DNA sequence: TCTGGGGTCCTAGGACCC
DNA sequence: TCTGGGGTCCTAGGACCC
């Protein structure tokens, strides 16, 4: 297995630079909505000690003193540039998983090992030429390692490409990486691991997977395997969202109900648009409102409601009516509200027919069939996988019946081979339905 | 004055069914 | 011996990601 992680450097800043070359070599930052905090920094701005997520007001003086160029965020622009980068990547390998607005995983099986470094350098150079966006490329045996390789590429290489292949070098690199810097390990889990004496990526790599599972669930166990070069996380095809959210802080404090209803209606309209764009229907709408938690001197209130529909819908006025009802339910007079949002939940495909083929049972912790009948079904499954190819088989995990709305079907993950679900050596699945979506 | 806006997955536990 | 147990469905909450 060979994966690459391609990451756009300081993406939002790089986008601004494409359209304003005078920003090159200058300290630049991009701000969040309402210009509240800093969400992207150029290398020069990072060097000035401006942290990610910093409140603008706290750094206003520093920004001015160092003549930092400051931009409000321009999401349509970033979305468009992201699309160009991703499309360009497709010229270099068919297997592209768009992971976020500025990152993609590539599947590189089938490329000759000796040709790969040059291929990656060519790719990086072409992306720069075609889009103006500088990227870094990390290559390794698993996604988790490719993430780490990408860090090395960014920090230490001159050509922006790092191949993590030499085991000796890899040991040295892992011993230098704090456990919280691993993809999937953040503060809480980092604290837990440190309490167990695991402080570096190398120590986690050498830890007992069962023990890690106890502490961090199957998700943590997968990370251990991934660090050891055993791939548990496959490349995923582009999939429809399961939930669509739209929320904003108001930019000022609001006390009257009708203004909040108005805001909720406009968020709902935005979300409904995204919903229709991906050809889905919502089965519910979740609405929340809250006061400003940073204003500790104010009385605080935060609440949410979930309204479920009898029939899944994508109709804007139905959705807005539900959101308005929710706000009426949630609103309490006497508070100064700061933020509201809606989430369209448990989305289902619009107009697709679902049909269960058969059920696999007798699956054990490994997802390996134990009895003869199940073994036969697994063998059939392999055949079906081979016949239908990627993009046709869908998988619904335990407890799910055909035609019923549920998370897995709503996820519509094309290209999932059944085996993949069981990749983690200790994944617990008792049975599964095979589903085909026409 | 000011403090983002999106998402996903996993587990535990209770209600209910046969 | 054991003296209802195993399966299903749903929700809340806690983690994580960019």
């Amino acid at each position: 297995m060979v994966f690459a992680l391609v990451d756009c450097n300081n993406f939002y800043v790089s986008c601004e630079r494409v359209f304003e070359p005078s920003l090159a070599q200058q300290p630049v930052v991009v701000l969040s909505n309402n210009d509240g905090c800093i969400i992207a920094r150029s290398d020069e701005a990072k060097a000035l000690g401006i942290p990610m997520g910093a409140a603008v007001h706290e750094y206003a003086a520093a920004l001015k003193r160092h003549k930092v160029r400051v931009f409000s965020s321009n999401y349509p622009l970033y979305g468009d540039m992201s699309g160009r980068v991703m499309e360009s990547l497709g010229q270099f390998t068919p297997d592209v998983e768009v992971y976020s607005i500025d990152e993609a995983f590539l599947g590189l099986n089938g490329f000759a090992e000796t040709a790969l470094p040059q291929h990656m350098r060519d790719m990086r150079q072409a992306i720069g030429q075609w889009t103006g966006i500088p990227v870094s490329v990390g290559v390794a045996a698993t996604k988790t390692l490719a993430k780490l390789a990408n860090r090395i590429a960014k920090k230490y290489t001159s050509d922006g490409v790092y191949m993590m292949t030499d085991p000796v070098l890899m040991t040295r690199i892992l011993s230098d990486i704090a456990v919280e810097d691993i993809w999937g390990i953040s503060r809480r889990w980092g604290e837990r691991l440190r309490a167990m004496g695991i402080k570096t990526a190398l120590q986690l790599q050498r830890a007992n997977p069962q023990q890690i599972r106890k502490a961090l669930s199957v998700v943590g166990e997968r990370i251990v395997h991934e660090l050891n070069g055993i791939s548990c996380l496959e490349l995923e095809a582009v999939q429809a969202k399961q939930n669509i959210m739209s929320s904003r802080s108001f930019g000022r404090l609001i006390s009257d109900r009708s203004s909040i209803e108005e805001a909720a209606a406009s968020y709902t309209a935005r979300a409904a648009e995204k919903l229709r764009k991906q050809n889905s229907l919502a089965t519910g709408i979740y609405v929340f409102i809250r006061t400003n938690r940073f204003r500790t001197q104010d009385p605080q209130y935060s609440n949410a409601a979930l309204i479920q529909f009898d029939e899944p819908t994508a109709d804007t006025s139905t959705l807005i009516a539900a959101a308005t009802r929710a706000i009426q339910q949630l609103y309490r007079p006497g508070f100064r509200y700061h933020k509201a949002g809606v989430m369209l939940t448990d989305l289902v495909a619009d107009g697709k027919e679902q049909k269960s083929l058969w059920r696999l049972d007798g699956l054990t912790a490994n997802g390996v069939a134990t009895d003869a009948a199940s073994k036969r079904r697994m063998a059939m499954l392999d055949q079906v996988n081979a016949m239908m190819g990627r993009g046709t088989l869908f998988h619904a995990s335990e407890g799910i019946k055909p035609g019923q709305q549920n998370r897995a079907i709503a996820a519509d993950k094309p290209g999932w081979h059944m085996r993949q679900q069981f990749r983690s050596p200790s994944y617990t699945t008792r049975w599964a339905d095979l589903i085909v979506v026409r």
Side-chain angles (χ1 to χ4, degrees):
Chain A
M1 230 41 111
V2 186
F3 295 94
L5 177 70
V6 181
D7 189 317
C8 302
N9 302 346
N10 314 325
F11 183 56
Y12 295 169
V13 168
S14 297
C15 290
E16 298 294 346
R17 280 178 170 165
V18 169
F19 296 94
E20 203 174 326
S22 72
L23 296 174
Q25 328 293 334
Q26 300 298 311
V28 183
V29 298
V30 175
L31 309 183
S32 64
N33 233 313
N34 297 328
D35 294 345
C37 62
I38 293 164
I39 56 170
R41 307 157 296 155
S42 69
D43 290 338
E44 297 78 11
K46 288 176 191 171
L48 292 172
I50 298 167
M52 179 70 173
V56 173
H57 67 101
E58 278 177 35
Y59 284 85
L63 294 173
K64 199 164 177 189
R65 189 167 66 247
H66 296 290
K67 298 195 164 64
V68 178
R69 306 284 300 270
V70 179
F71 289 80
S72 295
S73 44
N74 182 352
Y75 288 103
L77 171 70
Y78 310 148
D80 179 72
M81 294 300 289
S82 172
R84 293 189 207 186
V85 171
M86 302 306 170
E87 207 173 299
S88 307
L89 290 174
Q91 308 278 312
F92 291 84
T93 171
D95 298 326
V96 179
E97 174 192 337
V98 178
Y99 177 67
S100 73
I101 194 163
D102 70 334
E103 277 175 73
F105 285 104
L106 309 182
L108 298 172
N109 290 338
F111 288 90
E113 212 175 291
T114 47
L116 208 44
Q118 191 55 47
H119 190 56
M120 292 293 102
R121 284 193 289 269
D122 291 346
M123 176 177 80
R124 181 175 176 278
Q125 216 224 325
I127 303 292
Q129 238 171 49
W130 298 342
T131 68
I133 302 289
V135 302
S136 302
V137 185
V139 180
T142 67
K143 282 180 158 184
T144 305
L145 289 173
K147 272 275 201 182
L148 295 178
N150 188 278
R151 268 171 65 103
I152 307 298
K154 260 207 181 80
K155 276 173 96 165
Y156 302 114
T157 64
S158 52
D159 61 5
V161 176
Y162 185 73
M163 318 275 300
M164 198 184 260
T165 42
D166 180 352
V168 178
L169 217 51
M170 190 166 130
T171 300
R172 266 188 29 209
I173 289 170
L174 292 186
S175 70
D176 252 3
I177 292 177
V179 81
E180 299 82 3
D181 291 339
I182 300 168
W183 186 41
I185 308 269
S186 190
R187 216 186 72 226
R188 295 288 163 80
W189 284 8
E191 283 166 11
R192 241 181 263 180
L193 289 171
R194 278 173 188 277
M196 297 165 68
I198 297 170
K199 302 181 174 105
T200 68
L202 186 66
Q203 287 173 313
L204 185 61
Q205 183 199 34
R206 295 179 172 174
N208 177 339
Q210 268 72 47
Q211 200 192 345
I212 300 301
R213 181 179 191 164
K214 268 199 193 126
L216 308 181
S217 87
V218 67
V219 179
E221 190 194 347
R222 279 189 201 128
I223 294 172
V224 176
H225 293 301
E226 285 256 317
L227 288 174
N228 282 286
I230 301 165
S231 175
C232 296
L233 305 168
E234 293 291 316
L235 217 62
E236 285 174 37
V238 185
Q239 46 186 278
K241 299 264 180 273
Q242 300 173 39
N243 301 296
I244 290 173
M245 167 114 87
S246 174
S247 70
R248 286 272 181 288
S249 40
F250 300 133
R252 63 190 175 87
L253 295 170
I254 291 179
S255 296
D256 66 301
R257 197 183 73 187
S258 61
S259 300
I260 298 174
E261 283 174 15
E262 218 171 275
S266 94
Y267 303 156
T268 306
R270 274 168 39 95
E273 233 168 81
K274 290 191 211 169
L275 179 72
R276 287 189 296 270
K277 204 166 168 190
Q278 71 163 36
N279 260 324
S280 295
L281 304 173
T283 50
I285 182 167
Y286 175 90
V287 181
F288 69 87
I289 56 175
R290 74 159 76 115
T291 52
N292 189 341
R293 66 198 159 96
F294 295 102
R295 292 180 59 90
T296 44
Q297 70 275 27
D298 284 1
Q300 295 290 313
Y301 174 71
S302 154
N303 206 349
L306 174 66
I307 292 179
Q308 269 168 312
F309 304 118
D310 300 331
E311 286 283 316
T313 180
D315 176 54
T316 305
S317 48
T318 307
L319 293 167
I320 287 180
T324 307
R325 248 186 302 139
I327 294 292
Q328 288 166 359
Q329 225 178 75
L330 296 170
Y331 177 81
R332 302 281 180 281
F335 292 103
R336 306 168 78 198
Y337 293 93
H338 167 69
K339 183 173 183 176
V342 305
M343 184 160 81
L344 305 179
T345 61
D346 289 322
L347 309 184
V348 295
D350 186 2
K352 282 183 182 168
E353 200 172 295
Q354 286 146 5
K355 187 178 164 214
S356 179
L357 291 185
W358 59 72
R359 178 170 296 191
L360 296 160
D361 43 25
L363 297 172
T364 67
N366 291 338
V368 173
T370 48
D371 59 81
S374 296
K375 279 181 185 159
R376 274 200 305 278
R377 281 193 288 264
M378 289 303 264
M380 281 169 68
L381 171 63
D382 285 341
Q383 286 174 20
V384 173
N385 275 342
M387 268 164 31
M388 305 185 93
R390 293 180 79 89
T392 326
L393 274 183
F394 284 68
H395 167 228
S397 60
E398 52 165 3
I400 284 158
K401 296 185 181 67
Q404 205 172 328
Q405 159 267 321
N406 64 67
R407 286 211 183 91
I409 291 176
D412 277 0
K413 293 177 177 165
W416 269 43
H417 287 224
M418 286 293 298
R419 295 279 192 197
Q420 183 181 320
Q421 184 69 8
F422 308 127
R423 279 204 81 81
S424 170
S426 58
Y427 197 94
T428 308
T429 300
R430 279 162 296 187
W431 58 267
D433 275 337
L434 268 181
I435 306 246
V436 171
V437 173
R438 211 162 25 90

